[in-house]
Amino acid sequence: QAIAILDSGVGGLTVAKEVMRQLPREKVIYFGDTARTPYGPRSSEEVKQFTEQIVDFLIQFDPKVIVIACNTATAAALDHISQKVDIPVIGVIHPGARAAITATKTGNIGVIGTIGTINSGAYTAALKQLSPYINVMSQACPALVPLVEQGDFRSEHTRSTVSESLNGMKDKPIDTLILGCTHYPFLMEPIGQVMGPHVKLISSADETARETSTILYDKGKLAIGDETPVHQFFCSGDPVMFQSIARSWLGE
Ligand code: DGL
């Protein structure tokens, strides 16, 4: 049985990579909805419908857990999907919030994400649930996902787009910035350059992989043995760019 991971495109690979690193015996089945990316500007109803379709596809493989490695889909569909299937479903928003609370010293946390994620208020709710004294500043950055889907992580154009997108955030008195979209860790370097060394950048990947591992352990479902798993990748659009990004990111 595998760990099923889904995203609107290549973003969830940032989570998949961490799952593979922390759980090297586990097989991963990944689905990226590259034909319909980005999810960010879509209505939450539509994102919920798309997520449901992908889950219907993945469930055929009889996975032991499903990881919704997309913040937009987590905000729109996590509760619905959790009720619909009878295996554990993990989202990326609560893990991201937990990681940020652990990292912050001042309690002033920034969140960047897609329009859907930011408008849902899901991060603010998750952070306030963990600690009512947290101050949250959020900003949607809709221009970033298309850059990542094009495999453009470091060009001048990317650097200036990242800088413009962070205009509303870079002078805020935060010490921690949640990369509230799983695509953004691909842009860690240019984002770090704009925000400066005093701001810690938090991705959900680490903590999501840890939650996955805890759940599998509790259910007695961690893979045993020393066979190297063969992962499977699917995408709904042209596989050429997807494959090239996946290969270089996962180092295969
Ligand atoms: N990677 C996704 C997220 O974490 C979705 C990006 C998009 O398709 O807009 O929100």
Side-chain angles (χ1 to χ4, degrees), residues 109-169:
I109 298 178
V111 183
I112 51 172
T114 66
I115 296 171
T117 300
I118 298 304
N119 285 355
S120 77
Y123 265 104
T124 308
L127 289 163
K128 297 260 182 205
Q129 191 187 330
L130 290 167
S131 165
Y133 306 108
I134 292 293
N135 209 346
V136 189
M137 284 152 259
S138 3
Q139 160 95 48
C141 300
L144 303 188
V145 168
L147 296 173
V148 174
E149 287 295 328
Q150 286 152 25
D152 184 356
F153 312 139
R154 261 174 271 270
S155 70
E156 267 320 302
H157 170 66
T158 289
R159 288 181 193 283
S160 62
T161 310
V162 167
S163 175
E164 275 161 40
S165 299
L166 292 173
N167 247 337
M169 194 53 85

Side-chain angles (χ1 to χ4, degrees), residues 2-26:
I3 297 175
I5 303 182
L6 68 94
D7 178 47
S8 66
V10 296
L13 294 170
T14 59
V15 177
K17 183 175 184 167
E18 201 43 42
V19 167
M20 291 169 187
R21 194 183 69 78
Q22 291 186 27
L23 298 165
R25 301 272 172 267
E26 303 290 341

Side-chain angles (χ1 to χ4, degrees), residues 7-12 36-41 69-73 92 113-115 117 142 145-146 149 179-184:
D7 178 47
S8 66
V10 296
R36 301 189 289 192
T37 195
Y39 281 8
C70 173
N71 292 268
T72 315
V92 282
T114 66
I115 296 171
T117 300
V145 168
E149 287 295 328
L179 307 183
C181 170
T182 53
H183 281 72
Y184 298 172

Side-chain angles (χ1 to χ4, degrees), residues 189-201:
E189 203 247 345
I191 293 173
Q193 232 171 32
V194 175
M195 295 307 298
H198 57 287
V199 177
K200 271 176 260 168
L201 304 183

Side-chain angles (χ1 to χ4, degrees), residues 96-117:
R98 280 202 301 275
I101 294 272
T102 316
T104 186
K105 292 209 165 64
T106 62
N108 295 323
I109 298 178
V111 183
I112 51 172
T114 66
I115 296 171
T117 300

Side-chain angles (χ1 to χ4, degrees), residues 36-124:
R36 301 189 289 192
T37 195
Y39 281 8
R42 297 178 187 273
S43 73
S44 78
E45 204 36 58
E46 191 170 34
V47 172
K48 193 162 134 188
Q49 210 176 57
F50 289 178
T51 310
E52 198 164 1
Q53 290 164 355
I54 300 169
V55 166
D56 286 343
F57 170 76
L58 289 170
I59 216 83
Q60 299 175 74
F61 296 92
D62 187 29
K64 48 186 167 185
V65 59
I66 294 176
V67 181
I68 302 184
C70 173
N71 292 268
T72 315
T74 297
L78 177 63
D79 292 345
H80 175 68
I81 301 293
S82 305
Q83 281 164 16
K84 189 185 135 117
V85 299
D86 55 10
I87 54 170
V89 184
I90 298 169
V92 282
I93 291 180
H94 280 273
R98 280 202 301 275
I101 294 272
T102 316
T104 186
K105 292 209 165 64
T106 62
N108 295 323
I109 298 178
V111 183
I112 51 172
T114 66
I115 296 171
T117 300
I118 298 304
N119 285 355
S120 77
Y123 265 104
T124 308

